[in-house]
Amino acid sequence: MSLRSETGPYFGDFGGRFVPEPLIAALDELTEAWELAKADPEFLAELDELNRNYIGRPSLITEVPRFAEHAGGARIILKREDLNHTGSHKINNVLGQAILTKRIGKTRIIAETGAGQHGVATATAAALFGMECVIYMGEVDTERQALNVARMRLLGAEVVSVKTGSRTLKDANNDALRDWVTNVETTNYIFGTVAGPHPFPSLVRDLQKIIGEEARQQVLDLTGKLPDAVAACVGGGSNAIGIFHAFLDDSAVGLYGFEAAGDGADTPRHAATITKGRPGVLHGARSMLLQDEDGQTIESHSISAGLDYPGVGPEHSWLASIGRASYRPITDAQAMDAFRLLSRTEGIIPAIESSHALAGALELGKELGPDAVILVNLSGRGDKDMETAGRYFHLIDENAVQS
Amino acid sequence: MSAHHSATTASPVEAAIAATKTSGAGALIGYLPVGFPDLQTSIDAAIALAENGVDVIELGLPYSDPVMDGPVIQEATEVARAAGFRLRDGFTAVRAITERTDVPIVLMTYWNPVMQYGVERFADDLVAAGGAGLITPDLIPDEAAEWLAASERTGLDRVFLAAPTSSDERLRQAVEVCRGFVYAVSTMGITGARQDVDSAARTLVARLRDAGATSACVGLGISTAEQVAEVLEYADGAIVGSALVKALADGGVSGVARVAAALAEGTRRTK
């Protein structure tokens, strides 16, 4: 049976709907609307038009030989989601869900965001469709991603700085859910990743799988064969599912998700959910989770705001459980080395999130040898990360006087 | 055994709620979180509820990601967690309170802590401590097979939520599986005091009656005796949380006792 045919609510033992009853009607409405939309030529045509003429799809693939010299000589090919309008893969999902919002007659959209990429994409869609937009973002993240906060506000969105809990992505998620419970009559929740209650894991996956569908054909066209390995970073897991999905039934293609290991997966400060977590419920789905003995969520840590999440999408937990995909930890230091290496060898500044996949590809290349072809999802660009990188690499002259 | 078969029920919670309708207008259900501001004070405060007219005690287990809770309860449960709350403190509290009062206690908990503790083990330990059942705000009956089995085996009450947005079919399902009472969510939103308790609550309870409910209690937004009285015109019980938590935070055990007694005035009025 095809691994590509899973539609939820369950992926093996994972998934489901662990949410308060008041949200069930809205989730049912979205599920039904999505089932109708994805079979509706009018919806597909509208999405296709936006993909081509607004996002800039299909995104390129770029082979990076100077970077690959550091990966045991394997061929490394990047899927350039960083070149999408708004700078990451997040826009693929958001535009689809914005059209869906219009179809179900709602006028206000809300979203959670970590690094701000999903928030910027959602604010962009709100501007494009003339919708009211509120973005929930943890206070820690509004500080480390101040530029993205400014972008969202410029686009007309209200940004709510969430001050509860760990003041990061999971708490932004909680407040977005609270808003949704309260305003569900007028409001659609544009979920940013393949986590959450059904239908979000399969809905967001369906809107992101275009990444892998394009890349599979592009790699075939370039090399005449499928890649040996596909690499992606995993926070909630939307860019990873997006590039994995087209390859799920290509059993010779290895699928590798790279989780944020922060200071190290064996230290208390990491976000390596599949590597170090165990099954539990967070934000509406049963999946792998970083939690203590009592089931209290443990705060995650990563230099990358977009991967700083203690949960992960249920389809990833399932792919890990059946051994179809492997998940490995990448530390902050490894990711930042890869961030600098791609910048210096190829003139491409990646998002710190995507740098985890690049660091993973460096490892994979050495393991698989010089004949291997590795496809890496470059899920976003690094403009938003310049302040973090500037501090990390001491690139900003503290004493400089601006004239 | 479910909430629409009250004549045959063995549920102490349903019995306690039913008894209030002969002596007054209906039941007052009071919520406080375990461990706020510390374990012993939370126990003393719960007993103060029982001594001041609260008919059923709802004890919340502090959790890291309480998506149904507003700012007052979020802050209180964060205080409890920062002070070192452990899940087992919930059973300690239930045991200590039941030693000093006959008022039945239900725990209110998000689902992951129960899942991690082990559903069967949790049920057994709750029975051993003298607890009556569980309110599960983020567990819908569709996902509750394990809990339905454990509560069936142990006889614990199980309280699921019903919402204004729930379909008639889902309301029937809620009435069918709930035991003790059905938790009717008064308004679309999270916990916290509100000026007006939504008229949606009246409609929802009427729909629950049509679905066969004999024990339906209304929660979210209730903070005054007048609101309690208003809700008890059509519901079997009124659930108050944030107003009591705020009283405990501001005035300690004596403060929460005063507010509970004032709220209980709302159960005495008849029209």
Side-chain angles (χ1 to χ4, degrees):
Chain A
M1 193 179 127
S2 170
L3 297 176
R4 298 196 71 195
S5 61
E6 297 295 325
T7 59
Y10 302 102
F11 301 88
D13 290 335
F14 304 101
R17 278 184 178 173
F18 294 84
V19 291
E21 173 68 21
L23 290 178
I24 296 298
L27 293 170
D28 280 344
E29 181 186 28
L30 262 186
T31 305
E32 193 185 334
W34 180 238
E35 289 306 315
L36 293 171
K38 68 184 180 185
D40 179 354
E42 201 176 311
F43 171 85
L44 296 173
E46 186 174 0
L47 185 59
D48 184 61
E49 197 275 329
L50 287 172
N51 278 339
R52 286 174 192 284
N53 301 321
Y54 193 74
I55 299 180
R57 304 208 71 87
S59 64
L60 304 177
I61 59 167
T62 302
E63 183 159 8
V64 285
R66 278 171 43 77
F67 179 80
E69 284 172 17
H70 301 266
R75 288 182 78 174
I76 295 184
I77 298 165
L78 306 182
K79 178 62 173 168
R80 300 293 306 278
E81 293 298 301
D82 62 316
L83 297 179
N84 293 342
H85 178 47
T86 73
S88 81
H89 71 291
K90 291 293 187 186
I91 192 80
N92 303 331
N93 164 49
V94 164
L95 289 181
Q97 290 206 55
I99 303 171
L100 205 56
T101 303
K102 199 174 60 175
R103 286 170 68 102
I104 59 178
K106 292 184 177 177
T107 54
R108 178 177 179 266
I109 56 179
I110 58 171
E112 83 295 342
T113 197
Q117 293 303 93
H118 176 58
V120 167
T122 305
T124 299
L128 180 64
F129 285 84
M131 291 169 177
E132 186 188 345
C133 179
V134 179
I135 304 295
Y136 290 90
M137 188 168 184
E139 190 180 36
V140 170
D141 295 333
T142 58
E143 284 162 10
R144 61 180 161 179
Q145 301 288 349
L147 267 179
N148 269 345
V149 174
R151 289 169 80 193
M152 290 183 269
R153 288 183 175 147
L154 184 65
L155 290 161
E158 180 190 343
V159 179
V160 177
S161 178
V162 176
K163 296 176 172 60
T164 54
S166 59
R167 298 176 294 130
T168 59
L169 179 54
K170 88 171 173 68
D171 309 285
N173 220 313
N174 291 341
D175 263 9
L177 281 168
R178 292 181 184 116
D179 180 315
W180 204 29
V181 170
T182 308
N183 300 300
V184 68
E185 208 168 306
T186 59
T187 299
N188 191 26
Y189 185 2
I190 308 254
F191 214 78
T193 191
V194 289
H198 180 68
F200 291 120
S202 52
L203 165 56
V204 177
R205 189 267 326 272
D206 287 347
L207 289 166
Q208 291 291 4
K209 69 182 183 182
I210 190 169
I211 302 171
E213 288 169 352
E214 288 174 2
R216 188 175 182 279
Q217 189 58 49
Q218 287 167 319
V219 172
L220 275 174
D221 292 345
L222 179 73
T223 68
K225 63 185 185 83
L226 291 174
D228 299 286
V230 178
C233 65
V234 180
S238 69
N239 91 82
I241 280 290
I243 199 160
F244 287 175
H245 196 257
F247 297 97
L248 286 182
D249 294 327
D250 300 319
S251 56
V253 178
L255 304 176
Y256 298 87
F258 293 96
E259 302 191 302
D263 292 347
D266 294 322
T267 75
R269 292 173 56 83
H270 64 80
T273 306
I274 293 176
T275 307
K276 303 298 282 189
R278 63 176 200 278
V281 165
L282 178 68
H283 297 145
R286 186 172 190 275
S287 192
M288 297 299 277
L289 177 64
L290 296 178
Q291 56 186 322
D292 71 11
E293 188 190 339
D294 280 357
Q296 308 277 358
T297 309
I298 293 176
E299 292 179 14
S300 55
H301 293 277
S302 169
I303 193 168
S304 146
L307 304 182
D308 197 348
Y309 184 61
V312 67
E315 193 167 7
H316 285 295
S317 294
W318 172 62
L319 292 173
S321 73
I322 62 172
R324 178 61 189 97
S326 307
Y327 297 83
R328 300 179 178 187
I330 293 291
T331 63
D332 287 352
Q334 287 174 287
M336 293 309 288
D337 284 351
F339 175 93
R340 183 166 56 184
L341 185 63
L342 189 74
S343 301
R344 294 215 173 155
T345 56
E346 301 286 350
I348 298 170
I349 302 176
I352 297 176
E353 288 78 14
S354 320
S355 300
H356 289 71
L358 293 164
L362 294 174
E363 277 184 359
L364 281 178
K366 289 167 196 156
E367 290 170 29
L368 300 176
D371 295 332
V373 174
I374 302 171
L375 172 67
V376 181
N377 196 6
L378 194 69
S379 55
R381 59 180 176 239
D383 305 40
K384 70 183 172 59
D385 295 316
M386 286 320 300
E387 203 183 319
T388 303
R391 262 182 281 119
Y392 190 88
F393 294 120
H394 308 293
L395 301 175
I396 296 167
D397 185 348
E398 300 284 344
N399 299 318
V401 177
Q402 304 295 324
S403 57
Chain B
M1 293 294 283
S2 52
H4 58 308
H5 295 144
S6 58
T8 58
T9 187
S11 159
V13 171
E14 188 167 353
I17 292 169
T20 62
K21 285 188 284 188
T22 52
S23 60
L28 175 63
I29 299 174
Y31 166 96
L32 287 174
V34 177
F36 174 75
D38 57 71
L39 182 57
Q40 188 55 50
T41 308
S42 68
I43 292 166
D44 294 341
I47 291 160
L49 294 187
E51 290 170 346
N52 286 277
V54 166
D55 302 295
V56 176
I57 296 169
E58 175 188 350
L59 276 187
L61 299 181
Y63 172 57
S64 51
D65 297 277
V67 295
M68 270 300 281
D69 285 311
V72 170
I73 293 176
Q74 280 181 51
E75 276 170 33
T77 54
E78 279 191 29
V79 167
R81 284 184 1 95
F85 167 80
R86 293 296 310 267
L87 217 48
R88 58 175 174 265
D89 297 341
F91 303 114
T92 304
V94 170
R95 187 171 282 113
I97 298 163
T98 50
E99 276 171 9
R100 289 166 60 187
T101 176
D102 293 332
V103 167
I105 303 171
V106 287
L107 291 182
M108 194 292 288
T109 178
Y110 293 87
W111 192 240
N112 196 49
V114 180
M115 185 187 282
Q116 300 307 321
Y117 196 86
V119 178
E120 296 289 345
R121 180 180 161 224
F122 194 100
D124 287 336
D125 287 2
L126 183 55
V127 169
L134 282 186
I135 300 173
T136 50
D138 64 346
L139 185 70
I140 56 174
D142 320 53
E143 302 283 1
E146 221 183 332
W147 167 229
L148 293 179
S151 52
E152 215 47 47
R153 178 178 66 78
T154 54
L156 285 169
D157 282 336
R158 48 190 185 228
V159 176
F160 294 93
L161 271 48
T165 50
S166 302
S167 64
D168 290 344
E169 188 189 336
R170 292 193 64 78
L171 293 185
R172 273 195 301 277
Q173 179 192 34
V175 171
E176 184 64 37
V177 298
C178 280
R179 183 164 58 207
F181 62 94
V182 182
Y183 193 125
V185 174
S186 66
T187 182
M188 295 304 289
I190 54 178
T191 59
R194 284 178 180 76
Q195 292 290 7
D196 302 300
V197 175
D198 211 306
S199 65
R202 191 182 290 267
T203 308
L204 174 58
V205 171
R207 292 176 63 214
L208 283 167
R209 299 280 186 225
D210 289 344
T214 54
S215 189
C217 300
V218 172
L220 296 199
I222 303 170
S223 63
T224 67
E226 289 70 28
Q227 289 171 331
V228 170
E230 187 193 331
V231 162
L232 293 183
E233 285 171 20
Y234 54 87
D236 303 300
I239 306 165
V240 180
S242 295
L244 292 168
V245 176
K246 187 170 185 307
L248 178 58
D250 294 346
V253 173
S254 60
V256 81
R258 270 195 306 278
V259 169
L263 287 163
E265 287 299 314
T267 66
R268 301 211 173 81
R269 294 175 192 178
T270 47
K271 296 225 167 175

